[in-house]
Amino acid sequence: MSKLTREDVLKLARLSRLKLTDEEIAKYQTELSEILDYVEMLDKVDVTGLEPTYQVTGLKNITREDELIDYGPTASDLLKNAPSVADNQFKVKRVL
């Protein structure tokens, strides 16, 4: 059974940039200790011979082949309509 100290919780809070009250420190000390106990219990389970589960829904990633599609106008055709062009790109006002 791993029991977190008050200093452990304060260190975690500092690393997480959290400001905790004394009640929250006590609460998280208990809750985090229970979580660590549960993880220790899971760590003791014998999983030898079990296959890892990577996908539980049975779905597969389906991708299509990349293909070049000619939509007609070229970049230079589109840039002819631009009010301002710089380095073969649309030139627009700065937006901040």
Side-chain angles (χ1 to χ4, degrees), residues 1-4 18 21 26 29-30 43-44 51 55 59 63 73 89 94:
M1 178 171 172
S2 59
K3 178 78 170 149
L4 287 178
L18 296 174
T21 63
Q29 185 176 355
T30 304
D43 198 31
K44 294 177 185 174
E51 290 290 323
Q55 172 59 271
L59 298 176
T63 58
Q89 298 177 357
R94 185 182 320 186

Side-chain angles (χ1 to χ4, degrees), residues 6-43:
R6 178 180 172 84
E7 290 73 29
D8 293 334
V9 174
L10 288 172
K11 181 178 180 181
L12 288 171
R14 182 179 50 80
L15 291 172
S16 303
R17 299 194 191 315
L18 296 174
K19 294 181 182 178
L20 301 178
T21 63
D22 288 336
E23 294 83 24
E24 290 174 324
I25 292 171
K27 175 185 169 187
Y28 291 135
Q29 185 176 355
T30 304
E31 288 181 0
L32 291 171
S33 294
E34 290 174 359
I35 291 169
L36 289 176
D37 289 340
Y38 186 71
V39 171
E40 284 180 7
M41 183 180 68
L42 290 175
D43 198 31

Side-chain angles (χ1 to χ4, degrees), residues 84 89-95:
S84 182
Q89 298 177 357
F90 286 97
K91 184 176 179 181
V92 296
K93 291 182 180 178
R94 185 182 320 186
V95 179

Side-chain angles (χ1 to χ4, degrees), residues 4 12 21 46 72-74 79-80 87-88:
L4 287 178
L12 288 171
T21 63
D46 182 24
T74 63
L79 287 172
K80 282 193 271 186
D87 297 326
N88 206 26

